Amino acid sequence: MKKYPLLAFTLILTAFPAIVHAAEPFQLSQVKDMYPGLSPDGNQVVFQSNRSGSNQVWVMNADGSEPVQLTRVPGEGAETPAWSPDGRHIVYAAYLGEGNNDVFVMNPDGSGVTRVTSGPGYDGHPHWTADGERIVFNSDRDTPDPEAPWNQRWHEIWSVKADGSDARKHTDCRSVCTYGSLSPDGRRVLYRKVDARPGLDWDLLAIEKNSEIYLAASDGGNPRVIASHPAFDGWPLWSPDGQWIVFASNRTGPALTGQLWLVKPDGSDLQQITFGDWGHAQPAFSSDGKTLLAYRFQERPDAEYGGIVRIPMIP
């Protein structure tokens, strides 16, 4: 995957639910299959789903068959799973009680669960580094006021070794910074940050803050905005070769509908790659960079449902 020239994309939707037109009623079942990730060998998909009644981690074959529930975490459950680069483990975040969310690692069959982070507060949105040696996540462990609402705490990007040791802080946002990942060479950190300047929320209403995509040195130095826009930008992720960044944005509307975009790390060659009445978010590259998986959804103010799609990337 050396480059993705403009207009060189083919979108193929291979998962449920079927396309909904404006005149059709909204689906009564609010099942959401989210945060998909393709195993390195391409044979399985791990994902977050509420199909059992709460958010849990599931795995299924790459064609969507034989879904199996891996976690059974009480309360708000488990979320945002990701395969290790060698395919031997899955990292995820889990709810452990009021105000406490931590990161765990397990085998692909759900066995061998190991707790990676501990302590009060929120640790979430874990991603592996390209070499599989570290896990990157966002944490509010340094926030001045742990009792503040979630969106008023300081969430920073951290990483640890897979056994939970050697914690390193990669940002100094003093704001909400989430969904962090290190570049394949480990020299840069990519993340979403909530800026204290006017923007638009997911419903395209004017608000006092703006969600942007940031890129900085791995120690947090020289942070800069990538593809700045007043609309909500989120869920950024590196391509496996480090030449592209994929993210979701609602900058083209309509309200409650985001689409996927690609941009180079220097901010050039911004291009939209998904379209239509369905929203797309939470992208994840295959290990060879030839495929994207994403969450495809329909949303309104009081309801949401969606499934997983495969998007071939044509070099």
Side-chain angles (χ1 to χ4, degrees):
M1 189 183 64
K2 297 302 182 184
K3 60 180 181 178
Y4 292 127
L6 189 63
L7 302 180
F9 299 90
T10 300
L11 177 61
I12 300 176
L13 305 182
T14 60
F16 68 89
I19 294 176
V20 171
H21 299 285
E24 295 181 1
F26 199 85
Q27 181 170 304
L28 294 179
S29 171
Q30 301 304 311
V31 170
K32 295 180 285 186
D33 293 336
M34 312 170 73
Y35 291 99
L38 192 64
S39 61
D41 62 11
N43 292 331
Q44 291 184 298
V45 175
V46 69
F47 61 104
Q48 168 190 324
S49 179
N50 66 345
R51 59 175 66 193
S52 64
S54 64
N55 285 326
Q56 302 293 341
V57 176
W58 291 69
V59 69
M60 63 183 175
N61 294 331
D63 63 3
S65 64
E66 299 184 22
V68 176
Q69 184 176 343
L70 298 184
T71 63
R72 288 172 173 78
V73 179
E76 296 181 19
E79 58 189 11
T80 63
W83 291 97
S84 62
D86 62 8
R88 297 175 59 187
H89 296 95
I90 293 170
V91 68
Y92 64 98
Y95 174 79
L96 299 180
E98 186 66 30
N100 189 12
N101 213 69
D102 278 311
V103 175
F104 292 79
V105 168
M106 64 181 168
N107 298 327
D109 63 0
S111 66
V113 175
T114 301
R115 188 171 179 174
V116 176
T117 67
S118 60
Y122 183 94
D123 296 338
H125 300 108
H127 289 88
W128 297 87
T129 55
D131 59 10
E133 295 296 319
R134 302 186 68 82
I135 294 168
V136 185
F137 60 99
N138 51 268
S139 176
D140 63 0
R141 60 185 63 190
D142 280 355
T143 191
D145 183 7
E147 303 302 319
W150 190 95
N151 61 0
Q152 294 178 21
R153 302 176 201 165
W154 291 359
H155 298 262
E156 305 287 354
I157 306 302
W158 290 74
S159 73
V160 294
K161 290 183 178 180
D163 63 3
S165 65
D166 190 29
R168 301 178 188 175
K169 186 178 177 182
H170 296 279
T171 61
D172 188 27
C173 295
R174 302 188 180 190
S175 176
V176 175
C177 286
T178 65
Y179 218 75
S181 61
L182 290 178
S183 58
D185 63 9
R187 299 174 59 185
R188 292 171 291 179
V189 59
L190 177 69
Y191 53 97
R192 169 243 179 182
K193 179 183 178 182
V194 178
D195 279 338
R197 55 192 176 91
L200 302 172
D201 64 12
W202 193 240
D203 203 17
L204 294 178
L205 299 176
I207 56 175
E208 296 180 354
K209 295 183 178 181
N210 187 25
S211 179
E212 295 276 26
I213 305 303
Y214 269 76
L215 185 60
S218 61
D219 63 359
N222 300 315
R224 58 187 176 89
V225 180
I226 303 293
S228 179
H229 195 278
F232 183 101
D233 295 340
W235 299 286
L237 199 66
W238 293 97
S239 65
D241 61 9
Q243 295 187 27
W244 292 91
I245 292 167
V246 63
F247 67 99
S249 177
N250 66 344
R251 60 183 63 195
T252 58
L256 304 176
T257 305
Q259 298 296 346
L260 299 184
W261 295 71
L262 281 175
V263 66
K264 289 185 176 179
D266 64 4
S268 64
D269 288 355
L270 177 67
Q271 49 196 276
Q272 184 177 348
I273 61 171
T274 61
F275 305 85
D277 295 335
W278 288 77
H280 296 81
Q282 302 159 9
F285 275 101
S286 61
S287 59
D288 61 8
K290 295 180 179 180
T291 300
L292 269 177
L293 294 187
Y295 171 52
R296 184 177 69 124
F297 61 92
Q298 290 276 301
E299 185 176 356
R300 66 187 189 190
D302 62 343
E304 178 186 346
Y305 71 100
I308 295 166
V309 295
R310 181 191 300 268
I311 305 169
M313 309 298 290
I314 300 177

